[in-house]
Amino acid sequence: MPHPMNHQAGPDDDILAGGIAAGSIVLTMDGALPVEFLSPGDRVITRAGARELHSVSARMLAGHPYRIAPGALGHDRPDGAVLMAPGQRVLIRDWRARALYGQDQALVPIERLADGAYVAQARDITGLRIFTLAFGAPAIFYADGLELAAAVRVTATV
């Protein structure tokens, strides 16, 4: 079986939806680390406490990522410009959750938050290396000052 970091998705594979760009800083029990330094078995800080990382997958994004401007999702959220793949779910816990979903908090695909200015598709970027993190169960982890949902597997269709 090919190493997951070099594997290209085929028609019979599961595809990991979402993902964060190389260079994104993830909070772990060993400190804040770039996502590309993480390996299965690392302990990542989540909303439910430290969780063991089951897999890290990397791929080249075929389309354009979304760019979130510093402070676009709250005070220091994110703390710098962040790039992520379409489909990456972000936990929002402010007026946006109430306005969009009538709830105090919601997991929202990044494209639903796009406003064209502070959250927008980065059409100037192509071929971005994207990483997805997966745990044994649903998890919210911390990266670049944001609360992000771990990868969700969706079945590829041809």
Side-chain angles (χ1 to χ4, degrees):
M1 173 147 209
H3 188 279
M5 296 297 277
N6 300 321
H7 182 70
Q8 295 295 318
D12 297 325
D13 290 340
D14 284 343
I15 297 172
L16 296 172
I20 56 178
S24 295
I25 303 299
V26 177
L27 298 184
T28 75
M29 294 301 289
D30 292 323
L33 298 173
V35 66
E36 60 270 28
F37 288 18
L38 300 180
S39 300
D42 285 347
R43 295 184 52 79
V44 174
I45 299 172
T46 72
R47 283 184 53 89
R51 302 270 303 272
E52 184 176 313
L53 186 58
H54 282 212
S55 69
V56 180
S57 299
R59 70 182 191 282
M60 296 305 286
L61 183 63
H64 302 286
Y66 279 82
R67 179 183 292 122
I68 305 173
L73 300 179
H75 181 70
D76 292 335
R77 289 193 53 187
D79 46 10
V82 173
L83 296 170
M84 62 182 60
Q88 176 58 55
R89 294 174 304 146
V90 179
L91 180 65
I92 54 173
R93 299 186 292 143
D94 62 5
W95 63 268
R96 292 168 190 85
R98 287 185 291 282
L100 292 171
Y101 299 100
Q103 300 175 19
D104 289 336
Q105 62 183 17
L107 275 173
V108 182
I110 189 58
E111 55 271 25
R112 290 289 312 269
L113 297 174
D115 62 7
Y118 298 103
V119 178
Q121 203 163 29
R123 298 204 178 274
D124 58 324
I125 298 175
T126 58
L128 185 66
R129 193 163 185 212
I130 293 291
F131 289 81
T132 54
L133 306 181
F135 300 86
I140 304 295
F141 66 96
Y142 300 96
D144 292 325
L146 298 173
E147 295 171 297
L148 303 175
V152 173
R153 291 198 178 277
V154 294
T155 303
T157 56
V158 179

